[in-house]
DNA sequence: CTGAAAGCGCTTACAG
DNA sequence: CTGAAAGCGCTTACAG
């Protein structure tokens, strides 16, 4: 029994840190056996495993991740690179990833790239040095140096938010282009003709939505370059309002605005309210992502609901398989999207 | 000269990893000197520093953080614990912390506690094992075990978002109670009498704002327990709308609502719009934090602007001093707040 | 100002 | 199924 009640938490080393040796001594086994027992290697007898676990528990032992990483050349950390934390889309993604990876014993290390190629390079270089067990990155758009670093590291990597036909690449997402096209077609089907596409940030996924919009408009013979309102500035409600106010003045015949993100669209809706523009009668407004609050707007916002929680979960699962060298069903998972029609269209 | 153009990136060890030995060899010095040069220890000759830096640069050497942490018993990581990522307040805080710590050579490791004591304990235990150089935690409210772990670790720690008179504790924030009182007094000064306090999440800082509200209402002889609308649910626009709709029906005489957070207040504003309640004529609405979009609402939202970016910056600076064993001016920095009056009051 | 030795706390082969 | 040896890549005293 591991009841030694008054056993002082012996500290064998000068550092005063509780080490595997302490656990091994308390359990009456060698250090290696303790290590194996703790890691769940099944070459250890069940009784020993229990004894070691008990000892570790009692002493309050926490393995040193640095020593572990150094000895095994691999950590239990998964690096996740997202562009922004200020877009709730990515927060949802991160939460889902965490919820899937945490029970499996992995920690996540969040890196924020701010949509900057050089920041991504720096983050990757510095995080790869930590010998992560896996990598989760947003989209495919990055410098060749980044791609090389990932490839050379040999760390399994899953790409988030997009799909691909290249079997060498692992990804979980949906077709941004298709979703952009579908919303445009929805507006066309409602009889709108002068549909503007209002966008900010202009990251690769926004541009794919723009592609979908363009193709649908061209197919309908209604495409007009004047109706593409693009701003490289960060997305915000204020910018959404501004895009509407400035461009509607020059194009009063516009009868619908398809915003590339819900925060812009929410700003547009409020601007319409301020300017007494009737939505949807006079102007239809659509968004993208179905962010918090879109169902609270007046009128409520029609949008594309994107499955970011599922993407986070599914990508984590795929990565788990890759990290364990297990076979995976497909290299690219398409989780689709849903057009949520509300009052604004 | 470090021009050896065709020198292949030699890899001395089986792992194939580029090590300090490779850099030392390339620079023609010993490993220790290379280590010292790279870390900027000023016992190394300027010429050697340059030669080592050059070699490291050329080879693309990145120090192994695990080996570093193991050998020095300290990493270059600062752990930051925040309750949530879905509240932009904390994202702003994190960004500011990152901006201050990154140039100083520290990485940040983000931990999300979800306002759960047990999650915070687990995060702390696991992150402390990484031997962080510093710790940044939100507020003072945590279990004794958490406090003990922090104290026993010896890792310098700065508390965010609140102030304290205890000289043993390091913190940067402002008085939540005072801010809550000030907004209440602002509403009272405008002639409001039946002022409700609507809150969600009910974390310690929300309760401090409630205290401020209570004291101001009691001082005015207008306090009424019926006007404290408290929900433990997570804060959201939808909940803000719901709090207004449900409680206003029972208390039609309420002439102002002070929401503990802007997202609730934004939802309240939209609910008022839906219900054709004139704001501020019939009902004043106030929020807290001045989050994105509050200046876009109709009417624009009166709120308390909290200095989270400054808090992040200032806390990072204080932590930097502590990590370097440098003296600090004060243990508690009060950065104040600003009442931003807009149209809703 | 520079270097050879020892050690940080683990895990990976290699034996039995 | 269990253990003694060696090593992961660095830094910390200790010498010179």
């Amino acid at each position: 029994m591991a009841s030694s009640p008054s056993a002082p938490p012996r500290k064998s080393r000068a550092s005063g840190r509780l080490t595997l040796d302490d656990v091994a001594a308390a359990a009456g086994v060698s250090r290696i056996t303790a290590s194996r027992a703790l890691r769940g290697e099944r070459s250890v007898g069940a009784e020993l495993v229990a004894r070691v676990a008990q000892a570790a528990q009692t002493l309050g032992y926490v393995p040193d991740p640095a020593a572990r990483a150094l000895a095994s050349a691999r950590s239990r950390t998964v690096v996740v690179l997202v562009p922004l934390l200020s877009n709730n889309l990515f927060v949802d993604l991160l939460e889902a990833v965490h919820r899937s990876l945490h029970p499996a014993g992995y920690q996540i290390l969040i890196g924020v790239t701010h949509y900057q190629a050089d920041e991504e390079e720096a983050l990757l270089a510095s995080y790869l040095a930590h010998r992560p067990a896996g990598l989760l990155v947003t989209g495919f758009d990055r410098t060749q140096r980044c791609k090389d670093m990932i490839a050379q590291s040999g760390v399994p990597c899953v790409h988030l938010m997009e799909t691909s036909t290249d079997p060498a690449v692992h990804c979980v997402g949906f077709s941004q282009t298709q979703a952009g096209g579908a919303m445009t077609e929805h507006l066309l089907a409602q009889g709108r003709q002068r549909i503007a596409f209002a966008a900010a940030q202009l990251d690769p996924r926004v541009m794919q939505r723009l592609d979908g919009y363009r193709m649908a408009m061209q197919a309908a013979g209604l495409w007009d370059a004047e109706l593409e309102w693009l701003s490289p500035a960060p997305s915000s409600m204020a910018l959404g309002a501004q895009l509407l106010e400035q461009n509607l003045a020059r194009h009063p015949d516009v009868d619908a605005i398809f915003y590339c993100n819900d925060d812009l669209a929410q700003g547009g809706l409020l601007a319409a309210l301020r300017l007494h523009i009737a939505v949807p009668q006079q102007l239809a407004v659509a968004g993208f992502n179905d962010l918090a609050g879109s169902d609270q707007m007046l009128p409520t916002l029609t949008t594309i609901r994107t499955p970011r929680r599922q993407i986070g979960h599914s990508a984590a699962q795929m990565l788990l398989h890759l990290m364990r060298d297990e076979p995976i069903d497909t290299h690219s998972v398409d989780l689709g999207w849903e057009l949520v029609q509300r009052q604004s269209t």
Side-chain angles (χ1 to χ4, degrees), chain A residues 236-242 244-245 259 262-272 274 297:
Chain A
S236 71
M237 285 175 67
L239 181 56
Q242 193 188 313
L244 181 146
E245 286 167 25
Y259 282 99
D262 271 15
D263 56 355
L264 291 170
Q266 291 177 10
L269 244 22
L270 288 166
R274 266 197 300 275
M297 298 304 294

Side-chain angles (χ1 to χ4, degrees), chain A residues 20-31:
Chain A
L20 195 51
D21 285 320
D22 299 308
V23 177
V29 298
S30 76
R31 191 205 312 169

Side-chain angles (χ1 to χ4, degrees), chain A residues 296-315:
Chain A
Q296 295 297 312
M297 298 304 294
L298 194 71
T300 54
L301 180 67
T302 293
T303 189
I304 297 281
R305 179 175 298 154
T306 52
R308 59 257 193 196
R309 289 179 196 81
Q310 295 90 317
I311 291 174
H313 173 75
S314 177

Side-chain angles (χ1 to χ4, degrees), chain A residues 330-344:
Chain A
T330 66
H331 69 97
S332 173
V333 175
D334 186 344
L335 258 18
W337 41 268
E338 183 189 350
L339 195 155
V340 182
Q341 180 169 10
R342 297 203 184 98
Q343 300 165 346
S344 69

Side-chain angles (χ1 to χ4, degrees), chain A residues 40-203:
Chain A
E41 260 190 34
R42 60 229 175 86
S43 60
V44 187
E47 195 252 347
L48 280 191
V49 169
R51 222 161 73 204
V52 172
Q54 175 66 266
Q57 171 74 37
T58 305
L59 295 176
Y61 169 74
V62 181
D64 184 326
R68 224 169 211 193
L70 189 57
S72 68
R74 191 105 306 173
S75 72
R76 299 289 284 180
T77 296
V78 168
V79 168
V80 190
L81 260 31
V82 294
L84 247 39
L85 247 26
S86 51
N87 186 339
N88 257 307
L89 175 79
F90 298 112
V91 171
D92 290 342
L93 203 52
L94 287 170
E95 282 288 342
V97 166
H98 172 77
R99 254 195 291 279
S100 299
L101 254 26
H102 182 73
Y106 291 94
Q107 288 184 152
I108 78 174
L109 215 191
I110 301 170
V112 183
T113 67
H114 303 102
Y115 288 112
Q116 299 295 309
D118 54 336
E119 289 196 43
E120 185 167 31
E121 279 189 8
L123 280 171
L124 223 32
S126 120
Y127 284 178
L128 246 20
H130 281 91
R131 308 162 179 273
L135 211 51
L136 250 23
V137 300
T138 305
F140 300 119
D141 184 59
R142 50 185 47 81
T143 65
Q144 190 57 44
R145 279 203 59 202
C146 279
K147 292 177 190 170
D148 291 345
M149 279 194 272
I150 295 173
Q152 281 172 29
S153 74
V155 176
C157 176
V158 176
H159 301 73
L160 303 165
M161 300 307 291
E162 300 188 41
T163 58
S164 165
T165 52
D166 179 352
V169 78
H170 300 281
C171 52
V172 180
F174 62 92
S175 169
Q176 305 273 347
T177 309
Q178 220 175 75
M183 181 57 89
T184 310
E185 277 157 18
H186 162 74
L187 293 166
L188 287 167
Q190 300 215 323
R192 307 290 168 166
Q193 305 235 329
R194 297 286 289 167
I195 306 171
F197 183 81
Q201 194 67 64
L202 310 185
D203 64 85

